[in-house]
């Protein structure tokens, strides 16, 4: 095989030692600003490229080095160089290059798709400017400045601790127009200094910085600095310093912003300093430090491990590992690493895939919820196709290419059997068992509430005492109602006196009919007040025992409106269990289903129950806070107007006991876990219903 000529502008730099100890070299393509890490065998082949013969190069390497070189190794290097366009086009092969260019050129749709997901806008060529200002920038990298920053941080933190209440309240000023403008300007300056941190550090180590600008990742703007030339550095620690420079710069800004907050007067700039000292660098650290995207965290991890192209290499290992586990193809590993590092890279690849899938789908959902619905659906479809379907299609193509070996492998039959079993298990009906927090209580109870703010005058019964039918449970005094009753009584007496003396005066006789109407209205209003006062002296609607009475409650104390004084429990031995369940759970249960109730705090091992009733309509409010999530229950609720409102539809379910309760429970209420055996249903049915419900709701069917 004849060797194609290499491009003349390529530059070869010494590289760091590889993990296995062999030397490496970095091949620089200055036209495309790309760098390629070469190992020792590849370097020896390139060193003999002028021999222009595959067999001669392989033989010369074997004769003059300790390497065992085969012609296939030289051919793979040729394929690598040609595939990455590092060779010159040979005369007479223009058609081949035109065809390759046509394959690389994408359609308008693919171009738009790729540039929607990620594109860069270079705004500045800073290399000459960086060179002029590098001596001044080096002052910020000295140990003296670092110690000065530490001192500024300590002073700022000390001042913030002394004014902690003011420090917590500083964010309020940021919600004004002046505060938002100051914060926006401060954030812009911070991001600019972040990128200058990368640029000056790279320039300090002799690397060229060709461009700085803005990159858009799924339409989200992020600043970028082209520091690709750091791959020329042989010391991995220097590359690591360049990658960390942006985050370190923002940490320095946060330290000085804390000091500035301590001395600035109240206003917009102090609020901006507060944001820079707290939330700004935390958000930046959370985003930039993530190694799952190609931000600072990825390059920091790549340089710390000295593993260029960490994503691509870990993805290749994960795909190889998946094929081996599924089909046992016994293909060679993409690269030989220690077992611990191989497992770590495979786990890193799967974590990156999951992270990106969740991130981009979340962005699409945000666009759908807060912007155009059509745009959100389009983004959702694009990201499903690009990040899920496209990789699956590529892997399917790889499986098809290996189909003869896959079909011949015994592992394949086990994989297919397990996959078929898993699918079958999701489609076959299974007995459902629904669990929820429930409340065990007597079947008939009557809460005793204070109808309004009042003073307790008498409390005849204490906790646990028997109460007869019609007995007065408590006596409350309402000053407002008492005064209203006295005023209405006096007014009624005056009106009655005027009506009785109307016959002695001609003028009053004319107003007699009007006076009678006023008397009737006053008498009715007085009757209403009397009836309302009667609610302050409630009587027992049935015989039972009074429970849950506050032992510290004494006559003469004031009680609040709707404050519960006690609970009247009928002593007839009937108990029920009640709960509220969501729509998914109510669909799987029916009247007559068996259930079990377990209350850990009660002396019960398990109560056999039967579903007695299920409400057809959802509850507008939750009368039992014991089953709400805020109290440790299962039902998500929110507070609205002093009531607990379920976040989703909640149906009231009542269950009856099949066996009598022990005497030791004595009318108390117990919270526990309820388990209901519902009808048989395929596990996939719930997800299918949810997907269908979302489609029907969002498409407007």
């Amino acid at each position: 095989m004849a060797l194609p000529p290499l491009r003349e502008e390529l530059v070869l730099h010494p590289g760091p030692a590889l993990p296995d100890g062999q030397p490496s070299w970095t091949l620089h393509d200055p036209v495309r600003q790309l760098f390629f890490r070469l190992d020792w065998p590849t370097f020896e082949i390139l060193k003999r490229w002028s021999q222009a013969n595959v067999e001669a190069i392989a033989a010369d390497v074997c004769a003059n080095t300790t390497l065992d070189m085969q012609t296939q190794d030289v051919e793979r290097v040729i394929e690598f160089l040609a595939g990455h366009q590092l060779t010159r086009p040979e005369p007479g092969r223009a058609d081949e290059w035109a065809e390759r260019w046509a394959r690389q050129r994408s359609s308008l749709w693919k171009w738009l798709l790729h540039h929607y997901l990620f594109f860069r806008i270079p705004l500045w060529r800073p290399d000459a400017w960086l060179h002029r200002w590098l001596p001044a920038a080096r002052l910020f990298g000295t140990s003296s400045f670092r110690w000065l920053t530490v001192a500024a941080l300590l002073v700022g933190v000390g001042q913030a601790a002394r004014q902690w209440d003011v420090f917590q309240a500083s964010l309020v000023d940021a919600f004004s127009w002046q505060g938002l403008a100051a914060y926006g300007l401060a954030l812009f300056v911070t991001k600019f200094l972040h990128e200058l941190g990368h640029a000056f550090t790279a320039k300090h180590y002799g690397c060229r910085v060709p461009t700085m600008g803005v990159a858009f990742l799924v339409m989200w703007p992020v600043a970028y600095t082209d520091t690709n030339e750091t791959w020329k550095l042989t010391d991995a620690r220097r590359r690591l310093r360049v990658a960390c420079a942006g985050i370190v710069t923002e940490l320095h800004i946060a330290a000085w912003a804390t000091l500035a907050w301590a001395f600035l007067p109240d206003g917009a700039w102090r609020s901006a300093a507060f944001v820079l000292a707290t939330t700004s660098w935390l958000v930046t650290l959370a985003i930039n430090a993530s190694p799952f995207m190609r931000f600072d965290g990825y390059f920091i991890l790549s340089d710390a491990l000295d593993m260029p192209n960490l994503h691509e290499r870990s993805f290749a290992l994960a795909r190889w590992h998946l094929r081996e586990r599924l089909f046992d193809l016994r293909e060679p590993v993409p690269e030989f690493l220690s077992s611990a590092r191989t497992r770590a890279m495979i786990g890193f690849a799967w974590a990156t895939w999951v992270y990106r899938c969740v991130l981009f789908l979340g962005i699409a959902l945000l666009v759908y919820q807060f912007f155009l619905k059509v745009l959100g659906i389009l983004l959702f479809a694009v990201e499903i196709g690009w990040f899920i379907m496209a990789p699956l299609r590529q892997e399917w193509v790889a499986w098809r290419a290996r189909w003869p070996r896959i079909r011949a492998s015994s592992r394949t039959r086990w994989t297919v059997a397990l996959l078929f079993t898993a699918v079958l298990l999701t489609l076959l009906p299974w007995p459902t068992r629904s669990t929820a927090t429930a409340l065990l209580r007597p079947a008939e109870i009557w809460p005793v509430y204070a109808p309004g703010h009042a003073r307790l005058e008498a409390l005849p019964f204490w906790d646990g005492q028997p109460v007869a039918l019609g007995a007065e449970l408590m006596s409350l005094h309402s000053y407002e109602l008492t005064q209203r009753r006295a005023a209405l009584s006096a007014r009624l007496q005056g009106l009655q006196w005027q009506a009785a003396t109307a016959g002695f005066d001609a003028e009053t006789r004319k107003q007699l009919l009007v006076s009678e109407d006023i008397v009737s209205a006053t008498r009715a209003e007085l009757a209403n007040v009397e009836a309302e006062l009667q609610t302050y002296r409630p009587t027992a609607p049935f015989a039972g025992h009074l429970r849950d009475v506050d032992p510290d409650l004494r006559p003469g104390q004031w009680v609040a409106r709707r404050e519960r004084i006690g609970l009247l429990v009928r002593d007839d031995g009937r108990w029920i269990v009640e709960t509220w369940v969501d729509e998914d759970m109510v669909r799987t249960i029916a009247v007559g289903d068996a259930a079990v109730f377990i209350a850990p705090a009660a002396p019960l091992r398990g109560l056999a129950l039967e579903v007695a009733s299920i409400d057809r309509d959802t509850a507008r409010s939750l009368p039992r806070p014991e089953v709400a999530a805020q109290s440790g229950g299962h039902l998500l609720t929110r507070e609205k107007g002093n009531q607990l409102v379920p976040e989703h539809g909640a149906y009231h379910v009542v269950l009856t006991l099949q066996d009598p309760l022990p005497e030791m429970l004595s009318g108390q209420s117990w919270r526990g876990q309820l388990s209901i055996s519902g009808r048989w249903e395929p596990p996939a049915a719930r997800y299918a219903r949810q997907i269908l419900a979302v489609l029907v709701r969002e498409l407007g069917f």
Side-chain angles (χ1 to χ4, degrees), residues 496-576:
Q496 289 175 344
W497 179 83
Q498 290 178 6
T501 60
F504 301 102
D505 187 359
E507 186 65 27
T508 56
R509 282 197 300 272
K510 296 179 181 180
Q511 302 295 329
L512 181 59
L513 295 178
V514 177
S515 299
E516 290 179 352
D517 292 340
I518 296 175
V519 169
S520 299
T522 304
R523 188 177 288 111
E525 187 176 358
L526 180 61
N528 290 336
V529 172
E530 292 285 357
E532 189 172 354
L533 279 171
Q534 189 61 36
T535 62
Y536 285 77
R537 306 172 69 89
T539 57
F542 51 79
H545 283 75
L546 193 64
R547 301 288 182 183
D548 295 340
V549 179
D550 187 356
D552 297 328
L553 195 61
R554 293 291 184 271
Q557 294 181 354
W558 287 81
V559 293
R561 181 178 180 274
R562 300 299 298 169
E563 180 179 344
R564 200 177 80 172
I565 306 300
L567 197 68
L568 184 63
V569 179
R570 184 189 289 273
D571 296 330
D572 56 0
R574 294 187 300 114
W575 288 70
I576 62 170

Side-chain angles (χ1 to χ4, degrees), residues 414-447:
W414 283 101
T415 300
V416 172
L418 290 175
L419 179 62
F420 177 78
T421 303
V423 172
L424 190 64
L425 290 177
T426 60
L427 297 179
L428 290 177
W430 284 76
T432 58
R433 181 168 291 276
S434 304
T435 59
T437 306
L439 195 66
L440 172 66
R441 65 172 181 82
E444 191 168 359
I445 57 177
W446 191 69

